[in-house]
Amino acid sequence: MPRLSYRRALTRALADEMTRDESVFLLGEDIRVAAANVTTGLLKKFGPDRVLDTPLSEQAFTSFATGAALAGARPVIEFQIPSLLFLVFEQIVNHAHKFPLMTGGQCAVPVTYLVPGSGSRTGWAGQHSDHPYGLFAHVGVTTVVPATPADAYGLLVSAIRCDDPVVVFAPAGALDARADVTDLAPVPLGRGVVRRPGADVTVVAVGHLVHDALAVAEELAGQVSVEVFDPRTLYPFDWDGLLDSVSRTGRLVVVDDSNRSCGIAGEIIATVVERVPLAAPPRRVTRPDGAVLPFAPALDRAVQPGRDQLTAAIQLTCKDG
Amino acid sequence: MTGPDPVRLYRTVRLIRRFEERAIELVDAGEIVGGIHPYLGQEGVAAGVCAALAAGDLVTGTHRGHGHVLAKGADPARMLAELCGRVTGLNRGRGGSMHAADFGVGVLGANAIVGAAGAILTGAVWARRRRGDDVVGATFFGDGAVNEGMLLEAFNLAALWRVPVLFVCENNGYATTMPVEGAVAGTIAGRAAAFGMPATAVDGQDPEQVRAVTAAAVARMRAGGGPELVEARTYRFDAHHTFEHRVRLDYRPPEEVAAARLRDPVLIQGDRLPAEVRAAVDAEVEATLTAAVDFALAGPAPDPATALDHLYASGLTARTGGG
Ligand SMILES: Cc1ncc(C[n+]2csc(CCOP(=O)(O)OP(=O)(O)O)c2C)c(N)n1
Ligand SMILES: [Mg+2]
C-alpha cells in the first residue's frame, strides 16, 4: 500500500482538481518553486497560466481571486503564513463571504484559501504562529482543519468544488503525518468522524490535536474508555455526529489550538449542553485568552494545548458527576 | 571616498557579518530554533543608514532584521541571547529573530509582516515630534514590500503630514524567490514620486555612499523637510531563510550569486583602512562575538510558567488554556 504524506495529499488534490476542472487555478507567493512544498510539480504540469506567483500584495490578490470567481474561475490561494489571514480578513469576510447575499443571489464566490503550516511551527514566534480558524467559523465562512492525509486530500477537493469560499487550515503539527491510503476520495464538508470509539467520554479534537487525543486515549485505555471525535469541518459543524457521540458517553472534553475566549471549544460545549444532559461539567483545553506565542520553545509549547492538560481534563471530567 | 568615521563604519559591517555567521552556526547547532533570515551581503545598508542617524532617532526593521538592530547600537550579546530564546535576550526570549527590539537605542522592532513597519514608524516619529523632540526615523523594508498597500499608504500619510521618515528600500533583487522584475510594475522610485517624495538610488554595497546619501536626507528632514525614499541596491549573499540550506530552491543563477559576491560591503569598506587598523577591528569584533556567544548560551531559558508575562501592559491577566 502506498504511504501518502499530508503534504503530498494536498498536492494530489490540487493536481486532480486542476485536471478535472479547467477553471481551477492557483495563486500565491513562491508557489512556482513550491517553497512550501505543496504545489510541487504543478507548474510543470499545468503551466504558468494556472500557477501564478504573485507580488507581495495579499489584500489585492485575495480580492483578485474574488473577482475571478465572480467571473467563473475557481481560484485556490496558498498563504505562506497563517497570520496573513488577519491581513486579508476584510477581503474574505467583507467581500467574498458577503457577495452572494448582497447581490440577491446573482453570484457565487468559489475561492479556496489554503494555509499549509497553520499554528505554531516552533520558533516562528508571535506574528507567524496563529491558528485563527475560530474567527472564520465565527463569521460563518466554511472552515476545515484536516488531521490526516486522506482528509487533507478529501477536504481540499471538496473545498475546491464548493460554491462558497472555504478556508483550509493544514496545521503545521499534522503536516508530517503519513498514512497508508488505499483510495483517495472527496470528504464531504460538514461531516465529522469518530476516530476511536469509546464509552466513557467524548473528546473533540481539532486538526493536529486529533493525533494527541488518540495518543492520550491509548494511554488512558486501562482507566477510561475515550471516544475521539474529529469534526474535520468547524463550520458548518457536524452537530448530529457529535450529539450522537455525547449522547452515548455523557461526558465531553474539547481540545482546541485556538484562543479560549469566543473560541470554537466554547461553541462546541455550549451547543452540546443545550441539547444533551451531561453526567459531569464539560471541560476544554485551549490556548489562553489573547494568546501571543512567545519565541522561546518552552514558552511556545506552554501556550499550546498539551497532552498533560488533556489527560488531566479527561480525568477530572470522569471523576466529576 | 571616506566619511567622518570610516573605522566605525567598518566595525559595524564587520560586526554584522560575523554576527550572522556565528548565528548560522548556532542555527546549525540547534541553539537557534526556527532559523533566521541572514542579512549577509546587505550589511552596508544598515551600517550606512544608522551611521547617519543620531542615537535618539528611531528605526524599524524587517524579518531580515539583525543588521538594523545591531547597526542602531543594540548589544550583540543580548541580541544573540534573544535569538537563542534566553531570558537575558533583548526581548527576554519572547521575540526571537523576527521581533528583536531595543527601545533603549531607538529600535522599535524588527517586524515579521512584510510592509507593516513603515506606518508604525511614521506614527512614532510624528508623536515624538509633536512632543517637541527633534527626532527623525528610518524604516527598512525590502523590494517585496513596495507592493504592499499598507506601505504605500504609509508613504501617503508621511508625505501628507510631512513626517520626517526615511523610507529605506533594500532592493536585493528578490522577494524570497520572486524577482523584482516579476513583481514591480513601474519603479520603486516612481512610487515615491507619486506621493511627492524625493527618491535617491544608492549603491547599497558601499557603506560610505549609503551613509552620505542618508546624511544628506536626514539634514533636509531635520531642517523641516518631509519624508524621503532611498533605494539601496544590494544583494543577499545567502539564503532567503536558513531553511534554504536544507531545501534547494532554484531561482537565482549561481553565476549571478557569484558575481554579486564580488561586491562585498565588508571588503569595500575594509579596503579603505590601513591593514593594521583593519586587523585590530577584526580582532575586536571576534572578541565581542566570542563573548556574545558565551553570554547567549549561558543565559537561562525562560520558565514556562511565565509564558504569558508581558501579554498585557495594563496588568490584565489572561485565563490560561488548561481544562
Ligand atoms: C505580508 C507578508 N507576506 C508574506 C510574508 C512571507 N515572507 C516573508 S519574507 C518574504 C519576502 C520578502 O521580500 P523582500 O521584501 O524583498 O525582503 P527580503 O526578504 O528580500 O529581504 C515573504 C514573502 C510575510 N512575512 N508577510
Ligand atoms: Mg528582497
Side-chain angles (χ1 to χ4, degrees):
Chain A
M1 228 178 320
R3 296 280 285 173
L4 185 68
S5 76
Y6 192 113
R7 271 202 182 78
R8 281 302 149 261
L10 295 174
T11 313
R12 283 277 290 278
L14 294 173
D16 287 357
E17 288 310 291
M18 290 175 83
T19 304
R20 202 184 59 81
D21 181 350
E22 280 282 315
S23 69
V24 177
F25 74 98
L26 313 180
L27 70 168
E29 291 157 359
D30 310 295
I31 63 173
R32 285 187 176 161
V33 299
N37 194 9
V38 167
T39 50
T40 316
L42 300 182
L43 173 65
K44 196 152 165 241
K45 195 155 176 198
F46 297 101
D49 281 351
R50 295 183 72 194
V51 183
L52 273 65
D53 264 350
T54 57
L56 308 193
S57 307
E58 292 80 8
Q59 296 182 316
F61 69 64
T62 301
S63 278
F64 175 94
T66 301
L70 293 177
R74 282 188 184 268
V76 179
I77 307 179
E78 183 193 283
F79 290 98
Q80 274 185 357
I81 44 182
S83 314
L84 294 181
L85 292 175
F86 297 140
L87 192 56
V88 300
F89 201 59
E90 148 75 11
Q91 283 69 23
I92 298 176
V93 176
N94 215 15
H95 300 268
H97 173 60
K98 291 184 178 177
F99 258 65
L101 183 138
M102 292 194 307
T103 60
Q106 295 181 63
C107 63
V109 187
V111 182
T112 302
Y113 313 97
L114 173 62
V115 191
S118 57
S120 168
R121 287 182 286 174
T122 315
W124 289 78
Q127 289 179 327
H128 276 29
S129 306
D130 297 292
H131 226 160
Y133 46 70
L135 289 179
F136 291 93
H138 177 72
V139 296
V141 172
T142 299
T143 305
V144 304
V145 195
T148 66
D151 279 358
Y153 176 86
L155 288 166
L156 181 53
V157 165
S158 297
I160 295 170
R161 294 183 191 177
C162 180
D163 283 337
D164 286 320
V166 181
V167 188
V168 179
F169 288 89
L175 282 182
D176 291 330
R178 287 174 178 274
D180 296 329
V181 178
T182 36
D183 53 335
L184 288 170
V187 171
L189 301 173
R191 193 89 52 80
V193 65
V194 172
R195 293 276 175 210
R196 176 190 174 107
D200 300 334
V201 55
T202 300
V203 170
V204 179
V206 177
H208 61 295
L209 296 172
V210 167
H211 303 286
D212 295 285
L214 289 170
V216 168
E218 183 61 30
E219 258 168 47
L220 293 177
Q223 310 162 35
V224 32
S225 168
V226 175
E227 176 145 312
V228 176
F229 183 81
D230 173 2
R232 307 196 283 193
T233 304
L234 297 181
Y235 189 89
F237 199 94
D238 181 3
W239 297 121
D240 290 344
L242 177 59
L243 293 171
D244 177 65
S245 169
V246 183
S247 306
R248 282 184 284 100
T249 62
R251 287 182 163 83
L252 174 65
V253 173
V254 184
V255 56
D256 155 28
D257 185 37
S258 68
N259 295 2
R260 196 168 185 85
S261 188
C262 300
I264 195 74
E267 178 61 29
I268 292 169
I269 287 174
T271 303
V272 168
V273 299
E274 282 167 352
R275 308 267 289 272
V276 184
L278 293 176
R283 291 184 181 271
R284 57 183 154 153
V285 179
T286 63
R287 290 189 182 192
D289 280 351
V292 177
L293 262 63
F295 166 68
L299 303 185
D300 174 299
R301 271 193 302 278
V303 174
Q304 298 176 69
R307 289 185 185 183
D308 292 350
Q309 289 172 307
L310 178 58
T311 304
I314 292 169
Q315 285 168 335
L316 282 171
T317 302
C318 291
K319 203 176 72 200
D320 292 346
Chain B
M1 178 186 87
T2 54
D5 198 346
V7 177
R8 180 181 152 206
L9 209 41
Y10 176 68
R11 185 183 300 116
T12 309
V13 289
R14 177 81 188 177
L15 174 73
I16 300 171
R17 168 67 49 91
R18 293 293 297 138
F19 182 95
E20 293 295 67
E21 289 170 348
R22 299 299 299 260
I24 290 169
E25 288 167 21
L26 292 169
V27 170
D28 293 342
E31 294 290 350
I32 295 176
V33 176
I36 64 168
H37 299 83
Y39 195 65
L40 296 170
Q42 304 184 199
E43 297 90 344
V45 185
V49 167
C50 292
L53 297 175
D57 290 336
L58 304 177
V59 306
T60 54
T62 66
H63 56 284
R64 196 175 308 291
H66 305 171
H68 313 135
V69 179
L70 292 170
K72 192 64 179 53
D75 173 6
R78 292 187 57 216
M79 175 74 183
L80 205 52
E82 184 57 33
L83 303 192
C84 294
R86 309 304 170 103
V87 289
T88 44
L90 290 175
N91 308 29
R92 304 183 172 94
R94 269 65 179 178
S97 168
M98 288 197 291
H99 305 307
D102 188 349
F103 279 58
V105 297
V107 180
L108 305 191
N111 201 301
I113 300 301
V114 172
I120 293 172
L121 186 75
T122 302
V125 171
W126 176 85
R128 287 287 300 277
R129 292 185 69 86
R130 192 159 170 253
R131 262 180 23 193
D133 298 342
D134 176 30
V135 304
V136 302
T139 182
F140 296 90
F141 53 90
D143 48 279
V146 304
N147 302 312
E148 291 284 5
M150 51 195 161
L151 181 65
L152 302 180
E153 292 171 34
F155 285 8
N156 189 53
L157 283 187
L160 188 69
W161 293 337
R162 293 185 68 77
V163 186
V165 167
L166 189 66
F167 289 96
V168 183
C169 180
E170 300 188 79
N171 181 355
N172 61 9
Y174 295 85
T176 313
T177 68
M178 167 65 89
V180 173
E181 311 78 64
V184 179
T187 61
I188 293 170
R191 282 158 168 64
F195 299 99
M197 268 202 289
T200 315
V202 64
D203 176 4
Q205 302 313 90
D206 183 343
E208 291 285 6
Q209 271 196 48
V210 176
R211 190 203 52 74
V213 161
T214 306
V218 165
R220 287 190 293 271
M221 293 198 300
R222 286 205 206 282
E228 299 199 17
L229 182 139
V230 169
E231 180 187 348
R233 307 260 167 81
T234 183
Y235 201 84
R236 144 165 84 65
F237 286 1
D238 196 346
H240 169 67
H241 180 273
T242 46
F243 80 74
E244 233 190 286
H245 293 166
R246 284 175 283 121
V247 183
R248 204 181 117 73
L249 300 176
D250 195 14
Y251 60 97
R252 301 196 298 189
E255 315 79 66
E256 176 188 299
V257 181
R261 280 177 156 277
L262 297 176
R263 301 213 57 248
D264 184 327
V266 179
L267 302 182
I268 288 173
Q269 190 64 17
D271 284 345
R272 293 181 172 133
L273 306 185
E276 67 282 2
V277 174
R278 185 172 164 177
V281 172
D282 290 355
E284 182 196 323
V285 165
E286 279 328 284
T288 301
L289 288 173
T290 302
V293 173
D294 291 346
F295 176 83
L297 296 179
D303 176 356
T306 66
L308 295 179
D309 282 9
H310 317 294
L311 179 58
Y312 294 105
S314 63
L316 193 68
T317 46
R319 278 185 304 176
T320 57

